[in-house]
Amino acid sequence: MPADKHEVSFLPHGKKIEVRSGTTLLAAARAAGVSIPVRCEGKMGCLMCKVTVDPSENGVLPPSEGERRKLGGSLDEGVRLACQAKVCGTVAAVVPEDRLKRAIRLQLERQNQEDEDFRLS
């Protein structure tokens, strides 16, 4: 891998991509076909593009002052804005499950459990 390129993994999607140093996680996700919702088109206005990276890894540049103001203590837990976090090394980013997909999945799981409980009774 060239020195100016780094591997970015997106979990739980299991997708990986090589990107140049300085690429945002949002741009890398789009290039890898991973959906991260945004409304502000990467201007740090909507805060919808939160991802989690291991805070002990050095795969992304330190947060800007603006990102620090927006995220506060969440930064200590590895939360970053994908539109602002720039790649500078190998990194794995955890993308939260879409809220609507999560609600549907949970409802289906409840229905399946109720069906299973009914069959067993």
Side-chain angles (χ1 to χ4, degrees):
M1 181 173 344
D4 68 334
K5 288 208 169 189
H6 308 285
E7 184 177 271
V8 180
S9 303
F10 293 97
L11 306 171
H13 301 82
K15 295 194 176 183
K16 295 180 181 182
I17 190 166
E18 267 187 31
V19 297
R20 292 186 183 277
S21 291
T23 303
T24 65
L25 288 176
L26 181 60
R30 287 179 173 169
V34 174
S35 176
I36 296 178
V38 293
R39 285 197 184 132
C40 69
E41 287 309 312
K43 305 218 182 333
M44 203 170 33
C46 69
L47 304 181
M48 292 178 66
C49 66
K50 292 178 184 173
V51 296
T52 305
V53 297
D54 185 339
S56 67
E57 288 184 5
N58 295 319
V60 290
L61 292 174
S64 67
E65 189 56 39
E67 192 177 10
R68 283 187 187 289
R69 281 194 308 274
K70 296 277 186 175
L71 295 176
S74 297
L75 285 167
D76 296 336
E77 298 164 12
V79 176
R80 296 294 303 267
L81 296 176
C83 70
Q84 300 298 306
K86 294 183 179 178
V87 176
C88 65
T90 300
V91 65
V94 178
V95 180
E97 185 176 23
D98 176 85
R99 289 179 183 175
L100 179 57
K101 287 181 183 176
R102 182 176 187 274
I104 292 169
R105 180 181 55 75
L106 291 174
Q107 180 62 32
L108 289 172
E109 287 174 1
R110 275 192 293 271
Q111 286 175 343
N112 287 339
Q113 186 61 49
E114 288 171 3
D115 290 348
E116 184 66 26
D117 292 345
F118 179 75
R119 278 183 280 203
L120 294 175
S121 59

